[in-house]
Amino acid sequence: MSGIKGYTGKILDVDLSTGKVSRRELPKETRELFLGGRLISTRILWDELAPGTDPLSPDNLLIVMTSPLTGTGAPSSSRYDISAKSPLTGCIGHSNSGGDFGINLKKAGWDGLIIRGRAESLVFIDINEDKVEIKDAAHLAGKNTQETQELLGRGGKMVIGPSGENMVKYATIVSQERSHGRTGMGTVMGSKNLKAVLARGNRKIELHDPEAFRAHIKKWVEMLRSHPATSEFAPKYGTSGFLQVLSDRNAMPTKNFNYGSYKDAHLISGHKLAADYLVRNYGCVSCPVKCGRVVRVGDKEVKGPELETCVFLGSNILCNDMEAIIQWNYELDLLGLDSISAGNVLGFAAELSEKGLWKSGIEFGRKDNILQVFRDIAYRRGIGDDLAEGVRFLSGKYGGGDFAAQTKGLELPAYEPRGAVGHGLGYATSNRGGCHLHGGYMIYFEVNGPLTLKPTHHRSKPGWVVMTQNLMAAIGAGGNCLFTAWTFLMPPVFKLPGHKFLSSIATSFMTYSWWLIDASLKLPPACAAFHIPFVPQTKALELATGMTMNLGAYLEVGERGYNLERLFNLREGITKAQDSLPKRFTHVPLVSGKNNTKVPLKKMLPKYYKLRGWDKDGIPTDKTLRRLKLFEIAEPYLHLVRAQHKEFEK
C-alpha cells in the first residue's frame, strides 16, 4: 500500500478469452498522479491498448474503476467509472454513475476490474472477494436489466439488457436503477459476451485518519442538508427542475435543436413531475441529497425521468405528454438504452423525415410508435438496425450532417449551445465527445445557476471552460457525484435572482473579470495549497488517503487527466478538426428567442488551446507535459500523436 490509504491497492484482471484471472497492484505513482475513476482508467488504456484497436474486438479493454472515497461513507460517493475505447465515437469512452456495484467491488477487496478478451458464449463474472469465477449466463440471455439483476441474487451488480447483447452503439450498463448511459460501454460489454458482473465482500477500507475523516464528513453532510441547492431544489424537483428555466432562457433543445424554447415546457418539467407523479425521493448509497424520483404511472411505481430524458423525449420530438415520457424512460432502462442518444436519434430521424431524406415513420409530434421503435432499436429489427448506430452514422447514410446534433460521434445533451456559447465550446472540446459534464457543465454558469455569466459573451468563456473541465475531472476521479459541486456557490448567492440590480452587477463582474480566471490558470498549484470550506472534497481526500490533496493539487490532477485523455484521442486520429460543432450551431442563428446567436467557435478555440498549454493544432506541448509529469508517460506515443496530425494536414 506504500502508506496511501483509502485504496485496496489491487486491481482484478479477467481475460474472458482464456479464462485466466489474475491480480495486479495499483502503483503508488498512479494513485498520486491520477487519483481514481476515469483518470486511472485512462492511464491503463494509454499503456495497454494498442493504437487503432477496434472498439468491438476482443482486444478492447473494459475497465471498471472506483475512487479513494468510494465506500468510505463520504457524501454521494457510491460513484464508479466504466471506461473503454468507445464504439460510438472511437474516442476515450467513460461513463460514471451511482448504484451499489462500486462499493461492493471495493468491499470485495478490489479498486478496479479490467476485463479483456471475449467469451465463447454468454457469461457473467462472479466476484466473492478473492474467489472469482466466470460462469455460464445462458439463463440470462435476452433478459432485461431488472430481470437480470433479480436473477443474480445478493451483491452489487452491473448488467446489460438486450441492447448490449445486440451491440447497439449506445447501450448502457445498469446497476440497481442507475445507468452508465454515455459512450456505449454496454456495447463493449456485449461485444465480450459478458451479461453481468456480480461482486460482494466484507472487507473494510482503511483510512489515514479515521476520526478526523468522520468529523469532516459530518460537517460536510450538514452543509449539504442546509444548502439551498442540495437541501431544497434538488430533493424537491430533481434535475428536471432546471427544464423551465432552460426554455425561458432559450437554451432548451426543441424540435431537433431547431429552437431554444418550448411552449409546453411546463407540462414536462420537474415541477409538473413533482406535483402530479412523485411518490417519493430516493438516492444512491451514502447520498444525503436524494434527487432521484420514484413516480407512479397507473398501478406501477418506477424511476422517474431526469432532465435529459424529459427534454429529448419531450420538447426535442414535440411531445408534451409526461406520462408517455415516464413510460418510455422506464422501457429504455429495461432495454439498456441511453436516453440522451436515443432521444437525439428520434429527433434527427424526425427531421430527416420532414425534409424527405429518409421516411422512417418517425415524425415530430407522433408518439404512438415510439415504444415499438425503442424495442426495434434494442433488437436491431427493421429501421432499428440503422437507428442503433447513432446520429453520426445516420447523417453519413441519409444526409443532414449540418443538423446532426453530435460531436465526435456522441449525441449532444439537453442544452442548446447557441443559448450558452461557453457550453458550446465545452461540447466541442470534451474528450468523450458531446458532453455537458466532461465539457465543464458551463450551462450552470451561463443559464440555469443562481449566478451567471452573460451566456453569449465569447471572450470570457475559454478560461471558464478550462477551469470547470479540470474541476469536473477531479471531482469524478475523487469519487463524488458532481452534484456535490453545487455547494461551491455559497448560500447567499442563491438569493441573487430575487434582486435584479445585484444580480446584474454580479453577472457583469463574473463576465468581465475573465482575465482573473485566465491568470489563475497560469499559477502553479502551490499558490492554492490550502483547503476552502465550500470545496470539502479536498480535505476529505487528504484525510482518507494521507496524500497531499489541497485545492491546487486537486485541480492539477484534473488537468493532468484531461491532458492524457486528449493524448489518447490524438493517438487514435481524433485531431483538432473534431473540436467542432455541426453547422446548425455555428452558422445558423436560433430561430426564436431574444439572443438570436450562433456559437463563435473559431474565436474561442485558439484561446482555449493557449490556456491549456497546447499548440495551435491542439496538441499538448512538451513544456505542458513536463509540468504535469506526463512527458515520460506520453513519450512512447508522442511520435504517433504528431504523425496523426501531419496525416490530417495532408
Side-chain angles (χ1 to χ4, degrees), residues 10 16 23 75 86 90 101 137 140 190 194 223 226 260 299 336 416 451 463 526 536 554 561:
K10 299 184 301 177
L16 295 176
R23 160 185 165 166
S86 169
F101 181 81
L140 301 175
L194 180 63
M223 180 200 300
S226 62
D299 60 352
E416 164 59 70
L451 180 61
Y554 190 59

Side-chain angles (χ1 to χ4, degrees), residues 125-443:
I125 299 172
D126 187 350
I127 304 167
N128 188 353
E129 297 191 355
D130 291 333
K131 183 181 179 182
V132 181
E133 299 176 275
I134 302 171
K135 296 182 176 180
D136 179 70
H139 64 297
L140 301 175
K143 302 292 185 186
N144 67 40
T145 59
Q146 183 176 310
E147 293 168 335
T148 301
Q149 291 189 80
E150 289 171 354
L151 288 168
L152 283 171
R154 187 180 66 87
K157 304 143 215 172
M158 48 175 260
V159 308
I160 58 172
S163 301
E165 290 183 58
N166 293 304
M167 288 182 277
V168 175
K169 291 292 176 63
Y170 42 94
T172 66
I173 296 174
V174 176
S175 175
Q176 294 180 300
E177 292 183 324
R178 309 309 297 175
S179 292
H180 291 266
R182 310 252 61 200
T183 70
M185 295 300 95
T187 318
V188 178
M189 193 162 160
S191 76
K192 295 185 175 300
N193 271 328
L194 180 63
K195 179 67 174 177
V197 184
L198 175 66
R200 57 202 182 280
N202 294 300
R203 295 185 174 171
K204 293 184 178 180
I205 300 164
E206 292 184 32
L207 300 175
H208 171 69
D209 190 338
E211 188 174 337
F213 180 80
R214 284 191 291 269
H216 179 68
I217 295 309
K218 184 179 179 181
K219 290 180 181 178
W220 190 355
V221 171
E222 289 171 356
M223 180 200 300
L224 289 165
R225 286 179 174 163
S226 62
H227 194 279
T230 50
S231 71
E232 298 171 23
F233 180 84
K236 193 171 184 179
Y237 300 116
T239 58
S240 55
F242 289 123
L243 189 146
Q244 186 66 57
V245 72
L246 288 173
S247 181
D248 292 345
R249 297 181 182 178
N250 209 33
M252 179 174 159
T254 303
K255 200 183 180 188
N256 192 41
F257 290 85
N258 270 284
Y259 306 93
S261 60
Y262 183 44
K263 64 181 179 62
D264 290 336
H266 62 288
L267 297 177
I268 59 171
S269 71
H271 296 70
K272 174 72 172 179
L273 195 68
D276 295 348
Y277 297 96
L278 184 65
V279 176
R280 62 183 180 277
N281 290 16
Y282 77 95
C284 300
V285 182
S286 81
C287 177
V289 180
K290 301 191 183 307
C291 68
R293 326 268 84 193
V294 175
V295 298
R296 179 176 281 114
V297 177
D299 60 352
K300 196 178 280 187
E301 291 185 4
V302 301
K303 185 186 88 173
E306 303 284 350
L307 167 70
E308 311 287 340
T309 308
C310 289
V311 170
F312 283 118
L313 302 186
S315 61
N316 207 46
I317 59 171
L318 300 185
C319 172
N320 62 8
D321 186 341
M322 177 62 87
E323 191 160 318
I325 292 170
I326 291 171
Q327 291 173 330
W328 296 337
N329 177 64
Y330 180 59
E331 185 72 16
L332 288 170
D333 282 350
L334 294 179
L335 294 170
L337 281 173
D338 175 18
S339 64
I340 297 177
S341 287
N344 262 288
V345 162
L346 291 182
F348 183 66
E351 186 158 356
L352 287 177
S353 181
E354 185 177 73
K355 286 179 163 56
L357 296 172
W358 182 41
K359 294 292 185 179
S360 62
I362 300 169
E363 300 171 357
F364 291 117
R366 181 181 178 184
K367 61 184 182 180
D368 64 291
N369 62 343
I370 298 298
L371 203 58
Q372 188 58 52
V373 167
F374 288 151
R375 291 168 181 166
D376 287 343
I377 292 172
Y379 291 95
R380 286 186 172 272
R381 296 184 299 229
I383 62 167
D385 195 37
D386 276 353
L387 297 171
E389 295 292 312
V391 166
R392 182 168 66 177
F393 170 87
L394 291 172
S395 67
K397 184 171 182 177
Y398 297 107
D402 289 354
F403 56 86
Q406 57 82 26
T407 296
K408 298 183 177 76
L410 186 65
E411 289 79 13
L412 299 187
Y415 311 96
E416 164 59 70
R418 288 170 292 183
V421 300
H423 198 75
L425 176 61
Y427 282 158
T429 56
S430 167
N431 288 322
R432 73 171 179 175
C435 175
H436 57 305
L437 299 176
H438 289 210
Y441 199 42
M442 279 297 295
I443 196 73

